[in-house]
């Protein structure tokens, strides 16, 4: 059985199957901030979705980070490093054009549900 969080016609914010939750790529709600501010917003959204799914950031198995400008990686990592547990998940960070030029970061995660 598959449970969907924040379901919509095009996508759900998260899908749960068994003891695994798959989050869609999360972007900030407010595009006016710099990459640090946008990363903080995205991580807050991830925290909320993981909580709704019955897990938390300590159970993240994998993360993918998209940046339209890879030179923003260090700034994004400053926020990521303060948020991620002592032992981080598997992670990819890639440069990619995003849906709106004002979006500076998008993050998707897969997490275990204990």
């Amino acid at each position: 059985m598959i449970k969907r969080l924040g379901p919509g016609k095009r996508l759900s914010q998260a899908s749960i199957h068994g003891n695994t939750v798959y989050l869609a790529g999360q972007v900030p709600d407010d595009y006016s901030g710099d990459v640090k501010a946008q990363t903080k917003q995205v991580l807050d959204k991830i925290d909320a979705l993981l909580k709704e799914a019955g897990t938390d950031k300590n159970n993240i198995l994998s993360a993918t980070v998209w940046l339209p400008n890879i030179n923003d990686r260090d700034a994004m990592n400053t926020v990521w490093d303060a948020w991620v547990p002592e032992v981080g998940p598997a992670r990819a960070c890639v440069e990619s054009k995003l849906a709106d030029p004002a979006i500076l970061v998008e993050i998707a995660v897969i997490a275990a549900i204990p």
Side-chain angles (χ1 to χ4, degrees), residues 47-111:
D47 279 333
L49 282 166
L50 292 174
K51 182 177 181 178
E52 186 176 351
T55 190
D56 62 36
K57 65 186 175 186
N58 294 303
N59 295 304
I60 295 175
L61 303 169
S62 175
T64 303
V65 179
W66 293 274
L67 299 168
N69 182 348
I70 201 67
N71 293 323
D72 285 338
R73 184 180 60 225
D74 289 342
M76 180 278 300
N77 276 330
T78 299
V79 180
W80 174 271
D81 291 345
W83 176 81
V84 77
E86 178 84 14
V87 178
R91 191 187 93 172
C93 182
V94 296
E95 184 174 57
S96 176
K97 187 174 181 178
L98 300 179
D100 185 305
I103 299 172
L104 303 179
V105 62
E106 180 171 346
I107 303 173
V109 303
I110 299 168

Side-chain angles (χ1 to χ4, degrees), residues 21-37:
V21 59
Y22 305 83
L23 270 60
Q26 300 298 308
V27 298
D29 292 324
D30 177 3
Y31 301 170
S32 67
D34 64 9
V35 71
K36 287 182 179 182

